Amino acid sequence: MLLALITGAGASYFYLTGMRSENKIYDKIGGYFLIAQTAAISVASLILLLALVTSNFKIEYVAQYTDLALPMAYKLSAFWAGQAGSLLFWALLLVLFAIVEMVRLRNSDSRYKSSVLFVISVSSSFFLILTCFVTNPFAELGFTPQDGVGMNPLLQNPGMIYHPPTLFLGYAGFTVPLGHAIASMMTGDGSNLWVKESRGWAIFTWVFLTIGIVLGGQWAYVELGWGGYWAWDPVENASLLPWITGTAYLHSALIYEQRNKLKIWTHTLLMTSFILCIFGTFLTRSGVIDSVHSFGKSSLGAFFVVFMIVSTIAYAIVLFSNIKLYKDPEEKDFHFSSREGMFFIANWLFLGLMVVVLVGTTMPLISQAYYAVMGVFGVVGNKLTVNIPYFNKVSTPFFILILLFAGLAPMAQYGKEIGESFYKKIIPGVIAALASMVIMYVKGYTLPIPLILTGVTTLSLATIITRIAISIKNNGPKVVLTQRRHYGGLLVHIGVVIMAYGIIASSFYNIKDEHVVAPGESFTFGNYEMQVGELTVNQGQNFTSVYAPVTVTENGKKIVTVAPERRFYEKREEAWAEVAIYSKLKGDLYFILASYSKPENYIGIQVVYEPLLVWLWIGCGIMCIGAFYTVTGRRKNA
């Protein structure tokens, strides 16, 4: 890793020199150093993986996160399960991204290319500094224990294999568009070239961040055993924050590319997203905020704070020194009711949403700092925290408005105020929205917030479908294939509203109940009859489990038998719940083995009904398909 750091520093130096010079030799030498850095990090990563799979417990990281009985898949995933390994993994991703860009930009202007690669190599070197001098994954214990401590049971889930890597791909990915943004400024190019060049990376980043967040929710849903998927936990929020601004950035970049507007917004949102990725890592690894997802207290926090401050100041200096490049000469022609105007309003909504979530997430830090200052004047108080009701209250108005604009913006035109044709086009959507609200109310779902949310969600869905129908009618079905970027974007919006239906239903109308019965007895839950069987013991590879089979019938017909369980890991004192889930399109039945006693002959089963929850995962899939569809049409449309 030290060699990787040295070569990374060499690459950064020569790319920095190349940014200031027309001489291509610096770019070429920087490339050699970058290749050497990539090779060194790759070798280090392979050595760590080898140590994990061969249980080399002399290495502290291996002993801390694995043991002899741990299944091989989790030994491999331990690479990113711990702090030091995940930072090395982040550095590995960055240098691999840099190699891709080095090849892809081989015929580009050398100063532009050097600028892009300088940003990535500096970022990767930062993470190598941490892994070399602060939290080294190869640090040795000084002795070799017979066995390791083993992985936290919460991490022994398939989610551990795919959730962190997708999230890290999203976090690390923002570095590449940032490099292109800085390259445009360093070369004095205020055109939309950098946006076009980095568009694929921006979408790649956004998609993997989306997948990472949703997979994290799915992981929490199946592993934490409380029946939910999102608890506004600080670390959950930390991943959501860059996604919010990253979504705004994608919309702003579209206007920059197609209308040459919102340039400063685009730069600002990109830098904000990058910083929020680092901020999320700071929250997770510094130990400043308590969370079930955090790595505990460490000395990493100061390094991340310095990196964020230096990066922000440097970017701001470069941006403001080139501010003339980004002034809009046609500012007077800007209409708030045009499509770009609605995107502009959406930017503010996304920014507002990010701020209220950020304030709530960092309230312990804010209150701690406040009382530290006011303590001088005799004002004392405890660290404050906010919980789920705060986040639900402050975020709901933003979600309503964002969903509304997601449906209205595609109906508006670029450069023109909305007129009679706009109102005619949204009439079907308004009718559908009102109809959905009336149906819900008649069915007994009378809570005002979900009624409003369902109304705007239906309005959005109906207007998107109307927009597609009108376009196909005027241009023929082939327009969906020839204008992939536009229709891919609409598909993303359809995915968003489908997710919204799942979130609304599962958040406001879930049903929970708990029954304690003797084995063989039954209980009723809604329209279902649940018969609980005998407790059974099962031996796994590194755990012993106790499960209770529950046979579910509906109208006398058996539909499924599930087996919620409690697992006992050899090196853990407490039992860990493993839930059982029966998923259908109309809703999930979620089972938890809450309690049991063989001597006293009872079993406690908690059941949760989560209506439409599966549509949350389906909507995410549609969003990602739509995003990738936009990329396939890039070159043709360009």
Side-chain angles (χ1 to χ4, degrees), residues 483-493 623 625-627 629-630:
Q483 297 183 16
R484 297 181 185 181
R485 182 170 180 176
H486 177 66
Y487 289 95
L490 292 178
L491 192 58
V492 172
H493 283 200
M623 286 170 64
I625 292 171
Y629 192 64
T630 66

Side-chain angles (χ1 to χ4, degrees), residues 173-422:
F174 273 114
T175 311
V176 183
L178 186 75
H180 283 271
I182 291 176
S184 75
M185 292 187 284
M186 296 305 297
T187 54
D189 182 1
S191 73
N192 59 9
L193 176 66
W194 75 270
V195 179
K196 290 181 177 179
E197 286 290 342
S198 61
R199 180 170 171 269
W201 279 106
I203 292 174
F204 168 88
T205 298
W206 182 85
V207 166
F208 276 96
L209 194 55
T210 302
I211 294 173
I213 293 171
V214 174
L215 287 180
Q218 196 270 344
W219 183 7
Y221 182 59
V222 302
E223 192 60 34
L224 296 185
W226 58 282
Y229 48 86
W230 191 265
W232 294 105
D233 179 90
V235 176
E236 291 176 344
N237 296 346
S239 64
L240 181 65
L241 291 170
W243 183 88
I244 294 171
T245 53
T247 305
Y249 162 73
L250 284 180
H251 288 83
S252 194
L254 177 66
I255 300 301
Y256 189 160
E257 182 180 345
Q258 296 195 348
R259 304 294 295 174
N260 215 28
K261 296 178 183 296
L262 303 184
K263 295 179 179 179
I264 296 176
W265 261 103
T266 305
H267 275 283
T268 305
L269 288 169
L270 176 58
M271 185 59 192
T272 304
S273 302
F274 174 80
I275 290 298
L276 287 174
C277 288
I278 304 298
F279 178 74
T281 313
F282 161 74
L283 277 186
T284 310
R285 297 161 199 283
S286 64
V288 295
I289 289 180
D290 296 327
S291 164
V292 296
H293 306 279
S294 65
F295 287 89
K297 294 188 181 301
S298 78
S299 57
L300 286 170
F303 291 88
F304 282 109
V305 170
V306 171
F307 185 70
M308 284 189 286
I309 292 174
V310 171
S311 300
T312 304
I313 292 175
Y315 193 86
I317 291 173
V318 177
L319 177 60
F320 283 105
S321 63
N322 290 276
I323 201 71
K324 291 181 180 177
L325 295 173
Y326 304 113
K327 287 189 175 179
D328 184 1
E330 300 176 352
E331 193 172 346
K332 294 179 181 178
D333 299 327
F334 189 85
H335 304 292
F336 283 99
S337 62
S338 64
R339 186 178 294 184
E340 61 265 35
M342 292 191 184
F343 277 35
F344 176 72
I345 296 171
N347 277 351
W348 276 107
L349 292 173
F350 279 116
L351 199 61
L353 177 61
M354 183 275 290
V355 169
V356 296
V357 175
L358 180 64
V359 168
T361 304
T362 57
M363 184 56 71
L365 299 179
I366 295 172
S367 59
Q368 190 176 26
Y370 171 79
Y371 286 120
V373 173
M374 297 305 291
V376 177
F377 305 100
V379 179
V380 295
N382 297 321
K383 186 189 294 186
L384 301 177
T385 58
V386 296
N387 47 27
I388 294 175
Y390 161 83
F391 289 105
N392 287 340
K393 285 180 182 176
V394 299
S395 64
T396 298
F398 289 102
F399 283 125
I400 290 173
L401 292 172
I402 288 170
L403 281 168
L404 183 64
F405 278 94
L408 297 182
M411 290 297 194
Q413 295 183 1
Y414 285 122
K416 295 181 180 179
E417 294 182 86
I418 57 174
E420 186 177 348
S421 64
F422 172 84

Side-chain angles (χ1 to χ4, degrees), residues 18-19 21-24 27 108-115:
M19 289 165 60
S21 170
E22 296 292 340
N23 193 337
K24 295 182 178 180
D27 171 61
S108 300
D109 175 77
S110 65
R111 289 186 61 204
Y112 185 95
K113 178 184 170 187
S114 292
S115 302

Side-chain angles (χ1 to χ4, degrees), residues 54-55 57 66-71 75 146-150 541-542 571:
T54 58
S55 299
F57 297 128
T66 68
D67 59 20
L68 292 172
L70 190 68
K75 286 186 178 180
Q146 293 297 315
D147 200 356
V149 176
Q541 182 171 339
N542 63 339
K571 297 173 182 174

Side-chain angles (χ1 to χ4, degrees), residues 463-484:
T463 52
I464 294 168
I465 293 173
T466 304
R467 177 73 181 82
I468 295 173
I470 292 173
S471 183
I472 291 176
K473 180 182 177 183
N474 294 335
N475 304 294
K478 288 186 177 179
V479 70
V480 177
L481 299 175
T482 56
Q483 297 183 16
R484 297 181 185 181

Side-chain angles (χ1 to χ4, degrees), residues 56-79:
N56 184 355
F57 297 128
K58 188 175 182 181
I59 297 175
E60 182 180 2
Y61 186 82
V62 178
Q64 188 176 356
Y65 292 99
T66 68
D67 59 20
L68 292 172
L70 190 68
M72 183 57 70
Y74 297 129
K75 286 186 178 180
L76 291 169
S77 66
F79 183 24

